[in-house]
Amino acid sequence: MVGILSILALLFIVNKFASFYLENIIKENLETKNPSLSGITYSLEIEDWNIDLVRGNLQAKNISLKPLKTISHSALNDDTAAYILDITISSVKFTGLRYHFLSQKKVTCDGLNIDGICCEIKHYPKDKEDTSTKKIETNPYHLIEPYLEELNVKKLKTSNGQLQYFRFEKSDTMQFTLNNLSLQADRFSINKDWQRGIKKTLLCDNIKLELEKFSHSLPDEDYTFHCESASINTSDSSLRIEGLHIEPVHSKMDFARLSSKNSDWSELKLEEIKLIGIHYHKNIIESVFFADSVYINRLEYQNFKNQNVASIRKLSSILYKSLQRAPVKMGIDRIRVDNSSVVYEELPRAKNEAGIIKFTDINANISNLTNIASENTINILAQGKFMDMGLIDAEFNFPTNSLTDIFSIKGTLGGMNLIGINDIIEPLVSCRIENGQLHRVDFDIVGSDDSAYIDMLVLYSKLEVVLLKSINNKNYPQRFVSGFLNKLLLPQDNPTEGCSIQTVRRVTYRNKYSSTFNYLWKIVFGGLCETIGLSEQKQQYLQNLAKEVKEIKENTEKIKQKKNAIGKRR
């Protein structure tokens, strides 16, 4: 028994002595060696630590890595890369620690837990690259090089992290903050390849990165990107984002007037997006983006065009051409969209009420979303509700090859009460549907970036339309002209009794300053108006007729007034 106690006492003394010896070595390293990064020397300070060699544990608290002296932007010269770090850590704990003194300062451990790390990065970009100046190494390996040659961790875990990034330009400052960061990684390694002399800053397996409540102003400064939470997991090659919101900084009515780069107001909300089978290694090495599948739930997109504001005319590329010209090659095999909606509003000139087009309860399958040229097309199969009533089913095909500028859309819209589209046609066409039942719409579109043809069949019955006249921003019905329209010019049924079904083939030319959605909607809306008898020619004819009727009524009223005046004199 005495022998056992003696051995334990000896182990305790050895542990204390070794811990004291190791602690002094660490202190000596910290006091005599300073890390350097981007030409800036830093000091590393640790307020408190505890070492237990028997259990292989080391715990340090209140750690800071700061520049030795305060550095301003003006103090940075051509030989200094413009990155300045300021790092604080609440606590660091090593478990299963093994420090190999004779093996070039190699450290291995079973676990490394880092809590409360806050990293501030200040970036001062140069005005231009100067190839004559000395290139400054910016490899983060230099931060630990004075103390360690190699660090190997079986399991790494960080929690309660924060990253602040500042980019200082001459006339502007850009910044963003990532809060509540957490990171987990297996077989994490920072080391030096001694055979080839290459410094490797990061090697690890099964990374899991999480963050919460992120907001950042987008480059055009008209929108702010918000995210409730995001997580990356390399074990299943996934990326998940929740509560995504791209929010405009100006209101709908003021956006076109206050924005210097965009004319259309837009807003995007997304409850959840999950990417599966991301090719992380290939994406990083080759600067591409590939994934097997994407799941999107509850996407809400709104777009508003204000024709009353004279905004800067900016060419708008059609969607598939923008994808083809993207700087990064990409490919996603499958995308599933559920429970989503798209709302488009347009305020016509000299009007105070916008036309509203709504597609709700959208479910879609997208395949082969890519900008790598091939004979295959981007295919979209979508179902949803039009104006919350009519069921719509459509198939879209867009080219991946820039040499093939042809797209096609084919679809069917089910039955609905035609009064339901008054939110669209009242502001845009100045008329209102008072009665009518839509039975079916078939449309087939073939188009390009310049123009598109639509073949449309619209089956309906008992259609009655009243023309509207705006007086002091209020619409008033024109009953006389509307009666003439319904009796003589407007087919009340298609097919009419004893006649064949009427179809329409119409061409629409794209306004290169309008969005892709605006272009597609003009194609369909123009075909619909022409099918039910409200073509642009008939609308112009009715406006001229209304003008003539107004003049006749005014002249008649004047004649009556003259007769009354003559009668009173007598």
Side-chain angles (χ1 to χ4, degrees):
M1 184 68 179
V2 175
I4 294 174
L5 291 175
S6 299
I7 293 172
L8 292 175
L10 180 62
L11 290 174
F12 177 78
I13 293 171
V14 169
N15 178 48
K16 286 293 183 182
F17 176 78
S19 299
F20 176 78
Y21 175 71
L22 181 58
E23 185 175 332
N24 276 282
I25 290 177
I26 295 174
K27 283 183 177 180
E28 183 180 351
N29 280 334
L30 294 177
E31 291 172 356
T32 60
K33 298 179 180 180
N34 293 311
S36 177
L37 180 67
S38 301
I40 298 171
T41 303
Y42 292 83
S43 65
L44 178 64
E45 296 181 358
I46 303 175
E47 286 189 9
D48 182 40
W49 57 43
N50 182 27
I51 302 173
D52 185 347
L53 286 183
V54 172
R55 295 182 176 86
N57 294 339
L58 185 152
Q59 186 168 4
K61 295 182 179 179
N62 300 326
I63 305 160
S64 65
L65 180 75
K66 298 179 181 294
L68 278 176
K69 59 182 181 179
T70 303
I71 301 174
S72 64
H73 189 191
S74 59
L76 296 169
N77 54 47
D78 290 339
D79 291 335
T80 304
Y83 287 93
I84 301 175
L85 301 180
D86 190 327
I87 300 173
T88 59
I89 303 174
S90 297
S91 68
V92 173
K93 184 176 182 181
F94 292 86
T95 57
L97 178 66
R98 294 173 291 282
Y99 192 94
H100 306 273
F101 297 97
L102 302 178
S103 183
Q104 297 154 339
K105 294 185 289 189
K106 176 181 177 182
V107 171
T108 61
C109 65
D110 296 332
L112 171 57
N113 293 334
I114 302 174
D115 182 60
I117 179 171
C118 179
C119 178
E120 179 184 273
I121 303 173
K122 293 180 179 179
H123 179 202
Y124 298 91
K126 294 181 181 180
D127 294 336
K128 60 180 179 178
E129 291 295 329
D130 187 354
T131 55
S132 64
T133 34
K134 177 183 176 183
K135 184 178 179 181
I136 301 299
E137 179 64 64
T138 58
N139 194 324
Y141 176 84
H142 288 297
L143 290 176
I144 68 163
E145 189 174 24
Y147 318 112
L148 297 172
E149 296 288 359
E150 185 174 336
L151 172 64
N152 296 301
V153 182
K154 285 187 178 179
K155 284 193 175 293
L156 169 69
K157 182 179 180 180
T158 70
S159 56
N160 303 313
Q162 184 185 69
L163 172 65
Q164 293 180 300
Y165 174 83
F166 300 87
R167 180 184 174 95
F168 297 95
E169 303 278 2
K170 281 187 174 180
S171 59
D172 194 16
T173 299
M174 187 269 282
Q175 70 179 72
F176 68 82
T177 301
L178 301 179
N179 293 310
N180 298 320
L181 281 168
S182 65
L183 171 69
Q184 297 181 39
D186 297 336
R187 292 177 289 282
F188 176 84
S189 175
I190 300 178
N191 59 30
K192 185 173 184 178
D193 189 328
W194 291 99
Q195 293 180 347
R196 294 183 294 169
I198 300 173
K199 297 177 179 65
K200 295 190 174 179
T201 60
L202 178 62
L203 293 172
C204 56
D205 297 331
N206 301 333
I207 302 172
K208 186 176 181 181
L209 175 67
E210 297 179 344
L211 65 89
E212 295 180 0
K213 297 194 180 300
F214 169 65
S215 294
H216 179 56
S217 178
L218 296 182
D220 62 10
E221 299 180 350
D222 287 332
Y223 294 92
T224 303
F225 176 90
H226 303 280
C227 171
E228 287 295 320
S229 66
S231 63
I232 296 173
N233 193 334
T234 61
S235 62
D236 62 356
S237 302
S238 69
L239 166 64
R240 182 175 181 179
I241 300 174
E242 294 183 334
L244 185 150
H245 184 193
I246 298 178
E247 181 183 22
V249 297
H250 309 299
S251 67
K252 285 183 182 181
M253 298 303 296
D254 294 332
F255 190 88
R257 179 173 56 85
L258 297 176
S259 172
S260 60
K261 298 178 180 178
N262 300 284
S263 58
D264 288 9
W265 177 96
S266 298
E267 184 175 30
L268 176 68
K269 294 181 180 179
L270 197 153
E271 183 176 287
E272 178 189 11
I273 178 171
K274 187 172 183 179
L275 291 82
I276 302 294
I278 301 173
H279 305 181
Y280 281 113
H281 181 73
K282 183 175 183 179
N283 294 345
I284 294 171
I285 298 299
E286 300 181 14
S287 296
V288 297
F289 182 81
F290 288 93
D292 294 337
S293 61
V294 176
Y295 172 70
I296 298 172
N297 187 37
R298 296 195 183 282
L299 181 151
E300 298 177 10
Y301 176 73
Q302 297 183 66
N303 183 268
F304 176 78
K305 189 172 190 65
N306 189 347
Q307 300 278 18
N308 288 313
V309 177
S311 56
I312 297 175
R313 289 173 66 82
K314 178 182 175 183
L315 288 172
S316 176
S317 180
I318 198 165
L319 196 58
Y320 60 81
K321 283 198 171 183
S322 297
L323 181 63
Q324 292 167 2
R325 295 168 184 159
V328 175
K329 292 298 180 183
M330 63 159 294
I332 301 174
D333 295 338
R334 300 174 303 278
I335 301 176
R336 175 67 186 176
V337 180
D338 285 333
N339 309 310
S340 298
S341 63
V342 175
V343 177
Y344 176 76
E345 298 177 75
E346 183 172 325
L347 183 64
R349 288 184 177 85
K351 296 287 184 70
N352 65 347
E353 185 179 358
I356 303 174
I357 304 138
K358 293 190 292 185
F359 296 92
T360 56
D361 297 336
I362 297 173
N363 299 302
N365 287 298
I366 306 171
S367 59
N368 192 42
L369 182 65
T370 182
N371 57 3
I372 298 175
S374 70
E375 294 182 357
N376 298 325
T377 62
I378 301 168
N379 179 262
I380 304 173
L381 297 173
Q383 304 83 36
K385 286 184 179 179
F386 175 62
M387 303 304 289
D388 291 323
M389 291 186 289
L391 296 176
I392 188 168
D393 197 319
E395 179 178 2
F396 304 75
N397 283 285
F398 297 109
T400 58
N401 193 330
S402 59
L403 300 177
T404 308
D405 184 17
I406 297 293
F407 70 87
S408 66
I409 305 171
K410 183 179 288 189
T412 299
L413 173 64
M416 59 180 285
N417 193 322
L418 281 171
I419 294 176
I421 67 171
N422 279 331
D423 286 344
I424 305 171
I425 67 170
E426 278 194 40
L428 300 180
V429 188
S430 296
C431 71
R432 181 173 64 233
I433 295 177
E434 294 199 324
N435 189 34
Q437 182 65 38
L438 180 69
H439 302 295
R440 178 178 171 179
V441 176
D442 292 338
F443 55 90
D444 191 348
I445 302 169
V446 176
S448 68
D449 187 32
D450 297 315
S451 61
Y453 282 91
I454 181 169
D455 291 302
M456 177 171 274
L457 163 70
V458 182
L459 302 179
Y460 62 91
S461 60
K462 300 179 180 179
L463 177 63
E464 291 184 17
V465 174
V466 60
L467 297 179
L468 303 174
K469 181 180 179 180
S470 180
I471 301 176
N472 296 327
N473 292 324
K474 288 186 178 181
N475 288 327
Y476 295 91
Q478 301 182 77
R479 295 295 178 185
F480 177 79
V481 179
S482 299
F484 176 78
L485 168 67
N486 288 312
K487 296 296 183 183
L488 301 178
L489 295 178
L490 191 68
Q492 292 187 308
D493 306 284
N494 187 25
T496 56
E497 187 176 351
C499 298
S500 60
I501 296 175
Q502 298 297 309
T503 61
V504 165
R505 180 173 178 81
R506 186 179 187 274
V507 63
T508 300
Y509 295 96
R510 180 172 178 249
N511 180 349
K512 297 296 181 73
Y513 297 96
S514 296
S515 66
T516 301
F517 190 89
N518 176 272
Y519 178 39
L520 297 179
W521 170 246
K522 296 295 185 186
I523 297 169
V524 176
F525 185 64
L528 178 63
C529 288
E530 192 159 321
T531 302
I532 63 174
L534 288 175
S535 64
E536 293 178 1
Q537 294 83 356
K538 283 188 179 179
Q539 291 179 47
Q540 186 62 48
Y541 171 77
L542 290 169
Q543 289 175 4
N544 294 335
L545 178 62
K547 186 177 179 179
E548 291 177 4
V549 170
K550 179 183 177 182
E551 290 176 355
I552 292 171
K553 289 177 67 176
E554 289 176 350
N555 291 333
T556 304
E557 187 65 29
K558 288 179 181 178
I559 293 171
K560 285 183 179 180
Q561 290 176 358
K562 286 182 179 180
K563 286 183 177 181
N564 291 334
I566 293 171
K568 288 180 179 178
R569 288 175 193 162
R570 292 177 178 177

